[in-house]
Amino acid sequence: MSATIIDGKAIADRIQAEIAEDAARFQAQYGYPPGLGAVLAGDNPASAQYVRMKRRACEKVGFHSVAHVMTASSTQDEVEAAVSALNADPHIHGILVQLPLPPQINEERVLRAVSLDKDVDGFHPINIGMLGMKGREALFTPATPTGCMVLLKEAGVNLEGANAVVIGRSNIVGLPVALMLMKANATVTVCHSRTRDLPAIVRQADVVIAAIGRPEYVKADWLKPGATVIDVGTNRVDDPSDERGYKFVGDVEFEPALGIAGAITKVPGGVGPMTITMLLHNTLKAARRIAAAG
Ligand code: NAP
């Protein structure tokens, strides 16, 4: 039996169409569109590409967007000043600080400087704290983990009491998705580079979230038959058969996994499109909250 492919691109397109309609209603009601502001410091080509993609996505759904692009030698004060300018801008409702920041910049201080009302990436320590605490709700949850949760919901996965294994514990993916799965009443195991016998742990999993950053590291025969697999990994590998000379693969051995998993996301076309979509969703939510508060 072949696994169901969880089509992140199709799900993201549908949600973005709904966001575009909501944005048009917002604009009609308030006379201005929801706005997203980005801070990009440094010369990391992937970060610049992500910021361009986010700007294009904003245009597509009718959001206003601005980007503060700064050099790799920017100072702490300059980066924090860019955040403050966006905090004060009434046409900006969501702020995105593109990570990683250059090494001389204290990331925590920058993320703390983002107004809680505009923290659409959900990386402010207060939002992450709320996400982790029982009985509390974060105002905004990080985009990639939220995208994973939406994909699980769309795939009809019942998380109540399910064994969920998260591979990776980064601040932007592994940790927050583990917290979200726990809130959804899954029994969560978080694995990382020091984990002993990863295959044995993955074999217990009803749900696997792979967020490692190593091409096809998770082998198909580690998977429990019928498991749901969300592959966050986006790894560029050489591919002479592709006209660009490379392609992207996930952290999970995809083709063989099709014969074992119950459902699985593709790379590309799985989690990636959901990340931008969840950022747009959070920005619209922020715009509504700010507008309603007058
Ligand atoms: P990261 O900060 O490098 O974290 C990687 C995590 O994987 C770490 O916790 C690390 O463990 C763990 N790890 C590394 N090697 C391992 C191994 N052999 N066995 C078990 N765990 C291992 O990466 P990230 O930012 O979370 O990103 C992970 C992947 O997701 C990357 O491919 C990235 O490109 C992709 N990504 C995709 C999206 C999207 O929108 N699709 C968004 C964000 C990230 P330690 O903590 O012990 O070092």
Side-chain angles (χ1 to χ4, degrees), residues 135-150:
R136 311 278 163 83
E137 290 272 348
L139 205 44
F140 301 102
T141 55
T144 302
T146 308
C148 294
M149 298 303 286
V150 172

Side-chain angles (χ1 to χ4, degrees), residues 50 144 167-174 191-195 198 210-214 217 231-235 251 271-273 275:
Y50 292 141
T144 302
I167 320 175
R169 56 176 168 179
S170 71
N171 287 343
I172 63 168
V173 190
C191 301
H192 45 75
S193 65
R194 318 287 169 86
T195 295
L198 184 61
I212 318 170
R214 288 172 174 249
Y217 185 83
D231 193 348
V232 186
T234 311
N235 308 292
D251 287 344
V271 176
T275 295

Side-chain angles (χ1 to χ4, degrees), residues 20 24 30 32 36 43 56 81 100 128 143 179 198 251 285-286:
Y30 296 105
Y32 55 86
L36 177 68
D43 42 23
R56 273 203 299 272
I128 290 287
L179 296 174
L198 184 61
D251 287 344
K285 175 179 170 182

Side-chain angles (χ1 to χ4, degrees), residues 16-27:
Q16 285 194 22
E18 290 163 9
I19 291 172
E21 284 174 20
D22 283 352
R25 274 194 286 274
F26 181 95
Q27 163 112 36

Side-chain angles (χ1 to χ4, degrees), residues 94-114:
I95 298 173
L96 149 82
V97 177
Q98 187 64 48
L99 303 177
L101 291 166
Q104 74 277 14
I105 306 293
N106 179 324
E107 177 188 301
E108 192 196 332
R109 270 178 50 200
V110 174
L111 295 178
R112 236 178 230 286
V114 174

